[in-house]
Every structure is written in structure tokens, then in C-alpha cells.
Amino acid sequence: KQEVTQIPAALSVPEGENLVLNCSFTDSAIYNLQWFRQDPGKGLTSLLLIQSSQREQTSGRLNASLDKSSGRSTLYIAASQPGDSATYLCAVRRDTGFQKLVFGTGTRLLVSP
Amino acid sequence: DTEVTQTPKHLVMGMTNKKSLKCEQHMGHRAMYWYKQKAKKPPELMFVYSYEKLSINESVPSRFSPECPNSSLLNLHLHALQPEDSALYLCASSQGRGSGFSAETQYFGPGTRLLVL
């Protein structure tokens, strides 16, 4: 059974810092990995999707990398802003059968002004 | 329109009540999903509909009854719920084209926060 873990569980940083969120998964047979953002009590917004054949994806100040063989992904946020405060979830899809999203435990990020 | 809407935003119900959650999308998507998210936990898949037919039921108790009356609308009927069913219920949709639709990007609604007393 696929298990997805995110470290740290919570992170508090001052505005302007660059930061890295970590995601690890136990079964490397994945189809793709996706990073989401969730604001308190709200739905999920997709940030980046990395196919298993890719090493990284970038969108604005966000950069996600994938090391499939070691079961790891990182989300790099450059020049953090208070508006980045949210919970960040990574999710993986297996590469066979019905490819449901298996979510990680999340990292709660607080960026203070 | 790239939005998935859910109503109501909040719902409080007793264990003997019958209520329904509603989800709507007008993106022409043919796959729709229900997720349950307990506080400080990740979302967990409950049901998947593809072309208005139930495709996946993740062993969800029968007190949750999904319905997809048309391609834009997804309902979740609730009956005789337990306090432990209190959670945020998220709806999502994806294009749903072809057999590999489960790998598509999903668009999530804001959720309905349910409290069962």
C-alpha cells in the first residue's frame, strides 16, 4: 500500500525566505506526482504536476522536483510571501489500474510579514 | 468557466436527518469525484463517476449514497450519519476522456463542511 509522508508537518518563516517542502512515497511505481495548495477550510488548488518521466516542473516562484527511484519530491518556494501561507499537499498516482490520488499528510506553511 | 461549485458551504445535521450535498461543474468534464477530508488529514477518495455511471466505490458505508443525474451535477445523499462522519466533503472533476482518465488533472470545489451531532 502506497504511503506518502511530508516533512515538516508545519513550517513558519519570515517573508522573503526561500524554502523547501519535502514529500516521500513508499512505492516508486508512480505515474505522476502532483502538488496542491489548500487554504483553511477550502478546496485544493493544483500547483504543479510532474510526470514520472520528468525531473522537475516550474511555475513562477515554484519549482518541484521528482526523484522517482528514491521516492522523493521537493517543492521549492522562492522569495516567500504572506499569501503563500496555506497547507501544501503532495499526491501520487500509481502507474497501473485506477490511478487515484494518494495524498500526503501535508505541510502547514505560515509566512509572516 | 473553470470552477467547481459546492453547496451548501456548511451543514449541521442530526444522526436521524436526511440531507444532500450538491456539486456542479460546467467545464464539460465527464468524470466527477467525491472525497472526504477529516480535520488535519489528507483527502480520501470516496466515489468516482465516469459518464454519469459509478466507476469506483472505495468501500464507503451505505449511509452515503452518491448520484449523478447529469454530466454537470453530482450529489451525495446522507442518511443516518454518525458523528465520526463530520468532515470536509470535497468534490472534483476531470475531463474524463478515455480509459486513462484517472490520471488527469482534477479540479476541486471549495468543499462542504459537515457537522453531525
Side-chain angles (χ1 to χ4, degrees):
Chain A
K1 180 185 172 186
Q2 178 73 274
E3 292 184 5
V4 184
T5 305
Q6 292 183 243
I7 294 173
L11 182 61
S12 183
V13 300
E15 182 177 8
E17 273 203 10
N18 302 323
L19 53 100
V20 175
L21 308 182
N22 297 291
C23 171
S24 61
F25 44 96
T26 55
D27 186 350
S28 62
I30 65 167
Y31 184 80
N32 59 32
L33 181 145
Q34 199 162 356
W35 282 92
F36 292 88
R37 168 191 172 132
Q38 185 173 31
D39 291 286
K42 300 293 176 64
L44 281 68
T45 301
S46 178
L47 298 173
L48 291 163
L49 184 150
I50 310 177
Q51 301 294 348
S52 61
S53 58
Q54 297 176 321
R55 300 285 293 185
E56 65 179 286
Q57 282 285 339
T58 298
S59 177
R61 294 182 294 109
L62 305 179
N63 176 277
S65 68
L66 174 64
D67 185 342
K68 181 182 167 184
S69 60
S70 67
R72 293 181 183 178
S73 176
T74 61
L75 179 66
Y76 176 81
I77 303 177
S80 58
Q81 302 170 357
D84 295 329
S85 299
T87 295
Y88 290 80
L89 294 159
C90 69
V92 298
R93 288 186 171 93
R94 63 185 182 187
D95 60 6
T96 58
F98 185 80
Q99 294 157 305
K100 71 174 184 178
L101 286 165
V102 178
F103 286 88
T105 46
T107 293
R108 280 178 288 115
L109 173 65
L110 176 63
V111 181
S112 50
Chain B
D1 184 0
T2 59
E3 192 178 15
V4 176
T5 59
Q6 290 187 245
T7 55
K9 291 184 180 179
H10 302 275
L11 179 63
V12 180
M13 62 185 290
M15 290 189 283
T16 58
N17 292 158
K18 285 185 182 181
K19 297 287 185 183
S20 296
L21 310 184
K22 179 180 172 181
C23 172
E24 202 161 3
Q25 56 86 16
H26 296 286
M27 295 180 277
H29 289 176
R30 303 310 297 270
M32 296 185 77
Y33 311 76
W34 279 116
Y35 288 84
K36 174 180 179 178
Q37 185 177 23
K38 302 275 285 181
K40 299 190 177 180
K41 298 288 188 182
E44 294 181 340
L45 184 66
M46 299 174 73
F47 302 104
V48 180
Y49 272 81
S50 174
Y51 286 83
E52 296 91 71
K53 292 202 173 359
L54 184 63
S55 175
I56 297 284
N57 177 341
E58 290 282 288
S59 303
V60 179
S62 59
R63 58 186 185 268
F64 295 92
S65 175
E67 178 197 22
C68 191
N70 61 57
S71 61
S72 300
L73 189 57
L74 183 67
N75 298 320
L76 186 62
H77 302 299
L78 313 172
H79 174 54
L81 293 194
Q82 304 296 312
E84 58 264 29
D85 296 321
S86 299
L88 181 67
Y89 288 84
L90 295 164
C91 173
S93 71
S94 69
Q95 285 195 339
R97 312 291 176 186
S99 59
F101 76 90
S102 57
E104 294 170 341
T105 296
Q106 292 175 23
Y107 297 83
F108 283 80
T112 293
R113 185 160 298 283
L114 174 67
L115 177 61
V116 182
L117 299 176

